[in-house]
Amino acid sequence: MSAPTRAPKERRDVSRRRFLGYLVAAPTLVVAAELGRQQLFAPPGASAAAIPSPPQVADAYDLLDAIRDTARPTANLVKVEVNRDGTVSFALPRSDNGQGIITSTAMIIAEEMDLEPEQVNVTLADSRPELVFNQLTGGSSTTFSTFTPIRVAAAIAKGALLDAAAHLLGQDVDTLTSRAGLITGAGGSAIPFSELTEAAATDVTKQVEVALKPREEFSIIGTERGKSDARAIVTGKKQFLADMKVPDALPTVICRGPNLNSEPLSVANADEVRNMPGITDVEMVSTGVAVRAATTGQAIDGVNALRVEWDGGTVEGENDESVLEKVRAAELPLAVPSVPGETVEGDFTFYFRSNSALETNMAIADVRDGSAEIWSALKVPITVQHDIAEQLGMPVNAVTLHVVEGGGSFGRRLFGDAAKEAAEVSQKLGKPVSLIWTRADDSRQGRTHPMATSRIRAVVAGESVVSFEQRHTSVTTDFGHGLGDAATAAAAKLPLGAVGFSEAIWELTQTTPYDFGAQTRVLSEVDLRFNTSSMRNVYSPDVCTARDLIVDQIAAKMGKDSYEFRREFLRDDAMRAVLDKVAEEGNWGRSMEEGTAQGIGFHIEYKSFAACLVELDCRPETVNREIRSARTGPRVTKVVFASDGGLIINPLGYKAQVMGGINDGIAMTLTSSLHLEDGHFIEASWDNYFYTRQWNTPLDMQIFIVDSGRPEPGGVGELAVAPTCGAIACAYARATGTVPEYFPILHKEPLPFEPYPTVPPIPPSPTNGLEMAR
Amino acid sequence: MSTHTFKVNGETVTVDVEDDVRMLWVLRDVLGITGPKYGCGINVCKACTSHVNGKAFNPCSVPVGAISESDEITTIEGLADGDTLHPMQEAWIDNDVAQCGYCQPGQIMAAVALVKRCEAEGRDIDDEALDEIRNICRCGTYNRIREAIKAGADNM
Ligand code: FES
Ligand code: FES
């Protein structure tokens, strides 16, 4: 079949790549697609003094490629459907937790089909085990891995509609134009998609070849577009999980033990609690004691009234320093010997950080009569579906898993902690439950970014960096979610498998952007039974912080300016363009008051290059600002950020992701960490765990997109965090004259709060809210 | 159980629930008004921020027994005038503030109260005033929130 596109010039262009897809047998038009492949990276450029580093794994093939390639065999099951009302539907096999991929996916389909984005309904697909690897949201991969297959399907759909219209109108397909769901022929005769979808349908599935719209003709991709659910959000109508009404799914809260992962041994007063107002059920489960009640508040009261005997948990007696000792013991030696006068070295510690979102872990479960129906925000639903089936003793197809939009993710929704718990509770009670983690649980017992050390040794000879070694040692990061498939997830759960998997992720994501001669980057991990996961990135923020600090020291040793040095040693001009942008827009090198300084960070990942320039105020009057129950500390007063992320679908959504990443970087570098004391994390509130607040956020933030014309979208969801961390660390060193050795920088400052008790587990709600109304 | 009558979003409602149940759960679990979100339950995150008699308050920290019949509660659902959005809601859309959106009902309600308070006190909506906002946004939309509040204030 010939290409069903209408512009004759496209047909003459024999060089344009063609993609394969399918017309799928169905009563209305349904189209499916396979994946294509493009080369993204230009060859590295050269610098006079820079000794080229041999290619690193992640340069040629990174995590995005891995996720896309694992997605490849089944991507043809990704379908675009034209409905009888003329709208187009697409069920995105990904999870949206605020990153805006629903909006950008609608834009991609609308672009290819000449529709308005409003005419495209994008929903989140339920767990589809047949998708195998193709249902993972992580590693900032969504747009990169779905961009081409979605376009192919949309292009074939449009072609089929044009062919059907040509047939009905008795006109040549090349004379037809399509706009906003209406196909118009010569003489003004027009047919809407709604009247064409049946005619365009096929009763046998067949393979079709198609060319895609060239970039020069884009009119939607690359334009700014607000989020599709903006109005629903500002009117309170957007439904999150806890807002959904599933009949009889009453609020359920778990009473958890005093230490991390404490398990319950016995309950002394279950009957007494069962008789409290509103409470319907009290039941011991593997992670604690579940209390189900008419209102969430009553379930919380029940939890706090329980008297439970607990075991000591998985890290009994441990604290920050004892864990750090164990991490230190697992450190691998650096290979190149230290040479006095020629070596620049650094050793940095990164404490535990929480990836708790504002919406706590939640799930609704109805497990009765041999089947299970579960709702949760899940980035890897297939793995969770398998786990739950196994846990419930049911076949996989008896478990239906609905992916619901989540209130933030940051790594949390990679795991189905709440979904598994809700399934267990519902099965034990034989009743539906709406399970909600309390804030204290989410902070104390939820997953964390693991404690790590990062050591660097660079050998400098004259104007060159001869070698650059980085050794990263970390409490194990849990990758038990695999790459979306139950088989890889099971492999990652084996002790040896997990090592292999982490190392694979390390190799696929970490690369040094500079020509620093012989380079090695090695990861070692020590499993200490913490609940961990990635957190708006796995290793990069810490790796980049350490690297930027050492890069600044190498520059100083050579007597070079931090920016000029990076510029000289960066591997190619596209990277330099991004660095130049922040230096220029941020007025790098301007004179700064004492106690304040600029800092610069640079990072490459996810097929993107990113640079960040910050100005940091470390003057006492700023550091010691009095705000009740708050971490104030140094303030980042200005951020200038630039990145080249390849093709940008929606610049507004892109910049929003960058802004979030910047605010995360500020928290990770300066204020936010968990403190482990005597087997548990002490933070139970947002006034204990100091994520960035209004009084920490920069007053001036400028975000620039640098476009070097690369044809595919890179990843942005996590991109901004690492270079922001690097820039702030360098600015701090410059403003104070002290190179920080641990992060966040304020981790060891006196706590501006009294930790809440761990028994009862939930801080009680105050009653004085009316007096505080203002 | 006891009976409580008050006004929510212009309507008089009566609920049958224990005195000490916090208003957040009365709104969400009893009345099905889910705009106010749970983010902490202890008057810290401000995700539940709503208005009582025109002032910002946090229903997670008010027992229903403390609410009297004359009290008027407004949640995010009651901020717009029918189909006409409040200027602050418009500003939020114009500035494409939201990411996941979970914190935003509370942010908007807090912003409206802040602007009114500053006006009453004769203060500007400057950086100092904006730094007072305690609402958490874990998606880090703070800078767009600041811009939207300034724009919304101009149209209030
Ligand atoms: S839930 Fe009310 S302030 Fe956090
Ligand atoms: S938009 Fe997600 S918490 Fe604010």
Side-chain angles (χ1 to χ4, degrees):
Chain A
M1 185 173 158
S2 67
T5 45
R6 63 181 169 78
K9 69 174 190 317
E10 290 177 17
R11 289 187 168 174
R12 279 200 302 273
D13 181 3
V14 289
S15 69
R16 272 183 66 207
R17 297 190 47 223
R18 310 189 68 75
F19 295 84
L20 283 181
Y22 299 90
L23 283 166
V24 178
T28 53
L29 180 58
V30 178
V31 171
E34 285 183 336
L35 285 154
R37 175 84 184 98
Q38 272 96 8
Q39 190 60 40
L40 277 172
F41 272 65
S47 142
I51 300 175
S53 297
Q56 304 160 58
V57 174
D59 290 341
Y61 188 85
D62 74 3
L63 184 63
L64 293 196
D65 295 304
I67 290 173
R68 181 179 56 182
D69 287 350
T70 49
R72 188 170 281 164
T74 52
N76 60 355
L77 299 176
V78 178
K79 284 185 210 139
V80 168
E81 306 189 24
V82 181
N83 304 313
R84 287 194 171 88
D85 66 359
T87 60
V88 172
S89 296
F90 179 73
L92 182 66
R94 290 292 184 276
S95 156
D96 196 330
N97 301 284
Q99 67 273 46
I101 55 179
I102 290 180
T103 306
S104 60
T105 300
M107 290 173 74
I108 294 168
I109 293 171
E111 179 72 79
E112 208 60 45
M113 296 186 74
D114 297 321
L115 290 167
E116 296 301 329
E118 296 79 24
Q119 295 173 290
V120 183
N121 307 318
V122 176
T123 54
L124 300 178
D126 286 351
S127 178
R128 295 174 52 191
E130 79 282 9
L131 286 182
V132 196
F133 295 107
N134 200 5
Q135 198 165 6
L136 165 89
T137 309
S140 301
S141 66
T142 296
T143 307
F144 179 74
S145 55
T146 58
F147 180 58
T148 302
I150 292 172
R151 289 178 71 202
V152 169
I156 293 173
K158 186 180 125 187
L161 292 164
L162 281 167
D163 285 347
H167 187 72
L168 285 174
L169 294 171
Q171 296 185 5
D172 188 278
V173 71
D174 286 346
T175 65
L176 305 181
T177 56
S178 173
R179 187 65 233 148
L182 197 65
I183 295 182
T184 310
S189 48
I191 314 182
F193 281 9
S194 55
E195 286 170 27
L196 289 167
T197 181
E198 285 176 37
T202 172
D203 45 14
V204 252
T205 297
K206 54 189 171 199
Q207 195 168 310
V208 184
E209 225 181 71
V210 73
L212 302 177
K213 203 186 226 189
R215 189 174 173 176
E216 312 81 75
E217 288 175 22
F218 286 173
S219 62
I220 295 170
I221 289 177
T223 60
E224 299 207 326
R225 195 159 179 90
K227 296 195 60 151
S228 53
D229 53 1
R231 192 180 169 101
I233 288 172
V234 304
T235 52
K237 294 203 176 75
K238 176 168 174 176
Q239 283 226 329
F240 293 88
L241 195 65
D243 309 337
M244 282 177 49
K245 288 282 160 263
V246 170
D248 209 28
L250 293 186
T252 302
V253 178
I254 306 252
C255 177
R256 292 173 210 277
N259 282 350
L260 186 66
N261 302 322
S262 282
E263 285 181 9
L265 302 173
S266 63
V267 186
N269 61 341
D271 284 338
E272 183 190 316
V273 172
R274 225 170 262 129
N275 286 326
M276 288 172 63
I279 292 181
T280 63
D281 302 86
V282 175
E283 184 76 34
M284 192 151 106
V285 293
S286 51
T287 50
V289 182
V291 178
R292 180 174 174 273
T295 69
T296 315
Q298 288 163 321
I300 288 173
D301 290 346
V303 163
N304 278 345
L306 281 168
R307 290 200 312 277
V308 185
E309 199 190 328
W310 303 94
D311 75 10
T314 53
V315 293
E316 194 172 6
E318 302 280 355
N319 56 41
D320 274 354
E321 297 315 310
S322 71
V323 173
L324 181 57
E325 262 174 48
K326 293 185 169 113
V327 171
R328 289 264 177 235
E331 287 178 344
L332 296 174
L334 291 144
V336 178
S338 180
V339 188
E342 293 182 355
T343 311
V344 179
E345 289 186 312
D347 184 339
F348 310 95
T349 300
F350 300 87
Y351 287 96
F352 285 100
R353 283 146 295 179
S354 165
N355 60 7
S356 186
L358 187 53
E359 180 198 46
T360 52
N361 284 340
M362 293 186 194
I364 297 176
D366 185 353
V367 184
R368 283 181 295 184
D369 312 323
S371 72
E373 190 167 11
I374 293 154
W375 293 258
S376 197
L378 296 167
K379 290 185 150 199
V380 199
I382 296 168
T383 306
V384 177
Q385 186 183 25
H386 278 261
D387 286 354
I388 289 177
E390 192 183 309
Q391 168 196 322
L392 299 176
M394 288 180 186
V396 173
N397 61 12
V399 177
T400 306
L401 211 52
H402 304 288
V403 179
V404 180
E405 285 185 64
S409 169
F410 321 109
R412 271 282 159 102
R413 322 275 186 218
L414 287 164
F415 294 87
D417 297 329
K420 291 177 197 171
E421 246 176 6
E424 181 187 345
V425 175
S426 179
Q427 187 182 40
K428 283 215 167 112
L429 298 181
K431 295 176 187 174
V433 295
S434 176
L435 182 105
I436 175 166
W437 283 42
T438 65
R439 167 59 46 206
D441 291 345
D442 223 58
S443 181
R444 285 177 162 167
Q445 304 276 0
R447 290 178 183 269
T448 65
H449 192 270
M451 185 191 283
T453 64
S454 218
R455 292 169 306 139
I456 296 180
R457 178 179 292 162
V459 176
V460 178
E463 295 280 282
S464 295
V465 180
V466 181
S467 67
F468 190 89
E469 292 179 276
Q470 188 156 10
R471 298 280 179 276
H472 200 74
T473 313
S474 174
V475 168
T476 302
T477 301
D478 189 347
F479 287 112
H481 52 78
L483 276 181
D485 166 63
T488 53
K493 279 183 202 155
L494 303 170
L496 276 176
V499 170
F501 204 90
S502 304
E503 279 166 358
I505 298 280
W506 169 263
E507 281 299 329
L508 291 170
T509 57
Q510 299 308 309
T511 167
T512 306
Y514 306 102
D515 274 323
F516 280 169
Q519 302 202 12
T520 57
R521 294 162 312 283
V522 181
L523 169 73
S524 47
E525 289 190 322
V526 42
D527 188 357
L528 298 174
R529 303 217 50 209
F530 284 94
N531 307 329
T532 59
S533 72
S534 62
M535 170 175 165
R536 216 164 188 181
N537 211 314
V538 191
Y539 310 108
S540 303
D542 301 347
V543 167
C544 185
T545 299
R547 185 179 60 225
D548 271 317
L549 283 169
I550 294 296
V551 165
D552 263 16
Q553 290 178 36
I554 300 172
K557 189 176 174 63
M558 290 186 188
K560 291 186 177 174
D561 169 78
S562 296
Y563 154 67
E564 294 294 345
F565 175 86
R566 281 176 176 77
R567 192 170 198 293
E568 182 180 341
F569 283 83
L570 276 179
R571 293 196 320 240
D572 73 41
D573 285 342
M575 297 178 192
R576 267 177 216 115
V578 169
L579 184 70
D580 288 349
K581 186 73 181 170
V582 297
E584 193 184 300
E585 299 286 348
N587 195 6
W588 172 256
R590 81 182 181 92
S591 88
M592 299 279 294
E593 244 180 84
E594 196 179 328
T596 70
Q598 293 179 316
I600 206 161
F602 189 89
H603 186 63
I604 60 176
E605 195 170 1
Y606 310 122
K607 314 276 184 213
S608 300
F609 317 134
C612 184
L613 185 158
V614 304
E615 292 187 0
L616 188 69
D617 183 349
C618 299
R619 294 173 302 175
E621 60 266 38
T622 300
V623 172
N624 302 323
R625 282 172 297 157
E626 287 283 339
I627 298 178
R628 84 170 157 87
S629 310
R631 266 275 191 255
T632 46
R635 184 160 195 178
V636 178
T637 49
K638 179 173 181 173
V639 173
V640 178
F641 184 96
S643 59
D644 177 348
L647 179 68
I648 310 284
I649 310 296
N650 179 6
L652 217 48
Y654 186 94
K655 287 181 183 173
Q657 286 293 305
V658 169
M659 180 183 289
I662 291 169
N663 280 316
D664 278 20
I666 291 169
M668 290 188 80
T669 314
L670 294 171
T671 55
S672 72
S673 53
L674 293 167
H675 295 76
L676 187 71
E677 272 180 21
D678 199 17
H680 69 274
F681 291 113
I682 61 172
E683 281 79 5
S685 148
W686 289 113
D687 276 354
N688 300 170
Y689 184 79
F690 302 109
Y691 181 70
T692 305
R693 303 282 275 269
Q694 286 289 7
W695 52 82
N696 307 112
T697 206
L699 302 171
D700 182 0
M701 188 186 284
Q702 300 171 37
I703 299 164
F704 298 95
I705 291 171
V706 177
D707 183 359
S708 61
R710 287 181 292 143
E712 275 188 347
V716 65
E718 303 161 298
L719 178 69
V721 184
T724 304
C725 292
I728 296 170
C730 290
Y732 183 87
R734 201 169 282 132
T736 62
T738 309
V739 177
E741 290 176 350
Y742 58 84
F743 296 90
I745 288 169
L746 302 176
H747 182 76
K748 296 182 189 172
E749 294 299 304
L751 298 174
F753 64 91
E754 185 64 41
Y756 285 103
T758 53
V759 181
I762 308 170
S765 296
T767 53
N768 63 348
L770 281 185
E771 290 145 48
M772 294 175 71
R774 52 194 232 139
Chain B
M1 296 254 225
S2 49
T3 305
H4 308 269
T5 300
F6 48 88
K7 257 187 163 181
V8 185
N9 297 334
E11 264 179 61
T12 302
V13 296
T14 300
V15 293
D16 214 6
V17 65
E18 283 71 17
D19 282 3
D20 64 346
V21 174
R22 303 300 190 267
M23 277 305 291
L24 179 61
W25 310 118
V26 172
L27 292 168
R28 290 185 54 87
D29 296 342
V30 180
L31 294 169
I33 299 171
T34 55
K37 302 295 183 225
Y38 168 81
C40 71
I42 52 172
N43 207 346
V44 165
C45 75
K46 307 288 178 181
C48 65
T49 306
S50 302
H51 295 170
V52 58
N53 307 323
K55 287 182 173 176
F57 87 117
N58 290 89
C60 67
S61 301
V62 177
V64 62
I67 297 286
S68 51
E69 207 166 329
S70 60
D71 282 332
E72 286 200 33
I73 288 163
T74 309
T75 68
I76 189 72
E77 287 95 334
L79 186 62
D81 180 7
D83 276 347
T84 312
L85 295 182
H86 186 279
M88 199 59 80
Q89 291 170 309
E90 290 286 1
W92 242 250
I93 294 177
D94 292 346
N95 286 275
D96 198 36
V97 171
Q99 280 279 297
C100 78
Y102 195 82
C103 72
Q104 303 297 351
Q107 301 276 8
I108 293 170
M109 296 306 276
V112 170
L114 174 75
V115 171
K116 283 193 194 157
R117 186 155 44 85
C118 283
E119 196 178 77
E121 294 168 2
R123 294 168 59 199
D124 287 340
I125 304 292
D126 53 13
D127 282 329
E128 203 180 316
L130 293 168
D131 275 3
E132 280 174 22
I133 298 173
R134 295 192 72 95
N135 298 53
I136 292 274
C137 175
R138 182 58 186 80
C139 295
T141 65
Y142 295 113
N143 315 81
R144 289 198 299 284
I145 288 172
R146 295 172 92 95
E147 292 308 311
I149 294 177
K150 289 182 208 154
D154 288 345
N155 295 323
M156 263 172 74

